[in-house]
Amino acid sequence: MRNCPTYGVSSYKPNTDNLIDDISPNNTRPTKVCWYLPIIPRFKRLFANGDDAKNLTWHASGRKSDGLLRHPADSPQWK
């Protein structure tokens, strides 16, 4: 698909190079690029330090469960 089905806008940037005049699938650049950032190495770095890991797991192990709303995660809608 060369155009967005909803808005009809082109999915590709126009070529601004003077050397390439023809518009073909090989000579186009996408308008938006989504970069994939792997999550597992990021979690490994976050949890590598013991003090940081303790702070990151606070919501699962360190909260008081006395029925009062102390954190948004205590609400029934969060679950």
Side-chain angles (χ1 to χ4, degrees), residues 53-64 71 73:
K54 185 173 66 173
N55 290 333
L56 291 169
T57 58
W58 166 86
H59 66 281
S61 60
R63 289 190 317 193
K64 294 181 183 178
H71 189 269

Side-chain angles (χ1 to χ4, degrees), residues 15-67:
N15 283 330
T16 57
D17 298 337
N18 295 334
L19 301 174
I20 303 172
D21 292 333
D22 62 330
I23 297 175
S24 67
N26 297 334
N27 295 331
T28 57
R29 294 174 296 174
T31 302
K32 292 185 179 181
V33 177
C34 181
W35 293 95
Y36 170 71
L37 301 173
I39 194 85
I40 300 298
R42 296 180 80 193
F43 279 139
K44 285 182 180 179
R45 284 194 304 270
L46 283 172
F47 285 94
N49 185 349
D51 294 332
D52 290 340
K54 185 173 66 173
N55 290 333
L56 291 169
T57 58
W58 166 86
H59 66 281
S61 60
R63 289 190 317 193
K64 294 181 183 178
S65 60
D66 56 359

